[in-house]
Amino acid sequence: MNLSKIAALGGLLTLAACTAQVGNVGPDGRPLPQIYRIDQSAWAKIQYAVLDSINSLRLATGLEPVMLDPNLTAAAATHARDMSAQARPWHFGSDGSSPIDRASRAGFTGRMLGETISETYESEVETIAAWMGDPDTRNVLMDPKARQIGISWYQETDGKIWWTVVMGQI
């Protein structure tokens, strides 16, 4: 094989590689989002990954870690599913309930301090990063009074995930 054929083959391979990526980038040149599917068997793994990530961030700033609370988690699960049913990310339930109402109904006897939510196709890592990048949601996760946390999500069949984290203090 002569040198010009090798160069042409290399050029074709390079062009093919570029063409294969066109479907994976948007018009702005940034990668298109991938649907993050959560398998039911990964429930506890993801929940503890979120807990560990938030606690690592809290510890890095000198804050006390938070502990997973089953009542706050129940309140978070209820709200994640309800946001999906309402098709909008907001802090009020379809029955008019507030985060405080949901925490109380779920049996949490302490003080509910804050709730952070997200409507996304992104993973827990990307969601936490987005929350930490916003002063309002960062303040919820980094509340120095918080000692308990509820973590949950609901994933629709199209892959959209409704994340909810509730912070509390007993």
Side-chain angles (χ1 to χ4, degrees):
M1 199 183 270
N2 65 29
L3 191 56
S4 62
K5 287 183 180 177
I6 292 173
L9 181 61
L12 284 174
L13 289 174
T14 302
L15 183 58
C18 291
T19 315
Q21 294 178 352
V22 170
N24 295 332
V25 294
D28 60 357
R30 297 182 66 198
L32 292 173
Q34 299 293 315
I35 294 177
Y36 178 70
R37 295 268 180 209
I38 300 175
D39 185 320
Q40 285 298 325
S41 67
W43 182 270
K45 179 182 171 191
I46 291 172
Q47 193 173 47
Y48 282 100
V50 172
L51 177 66
D52 290 345
S53 296
I54 291 171
N55 276 337
S56 292
L57 293 164
R58 289 176 63 84
L59 289 169
T61 60
L63 296 172
E64 293 288 322
V66 291
M67 294 176 33
L68 197 58
D69 183 279
N71 297 323
L72 288 178
T73 296
T78 297
H79 193 55
R81 185 175 289 273
D82 190 45
M83 285 190 299
S84 170
Q86 295 183 69
R88 62 179 169 179
W90 74 323
H91 294 284
F92 294 96
S94 56
D95 62 355
S97 62
S98 71
I100 294 169
D101 296 332
R102 289 188 296 276
S104 178
R105 281 186 206 158
F108 185 68
T109 58
R111 181 174 171 218
M112 200 289 299
L113 299 171
E115 176 182 77
T116 186
I117 58 175
S118 178
E119 169 194 17
T120 186
Y121 290 89
E122 296 177 330
S123 72
E124 63 278 5
V125 173
E126 294 165 305
T127 301
I128 293 169
W131 284 337
M132 292 301 288
D134 178 86
D136 292 333
T137 52
R138 178 185 173 89
N139 288 341
V140 171
L141 299 177
M142 305 302 277
D143 188 328
K145 297 180 295 284
R147 294 294 178 271
Q148 285 75 33
I149 187 171
I151 303 163
S152 195
W153 61 89
Y154 176 74
Q155 186 164 34
E156 296 177 355
T157 56
D158 70 353
K160 184 184 290 185
I161 306 169
W162 300 86
W163 296 96
T164 305
V165 169
V166 183
M167 304 295 279
Q169 172 192 38
I170 291 184

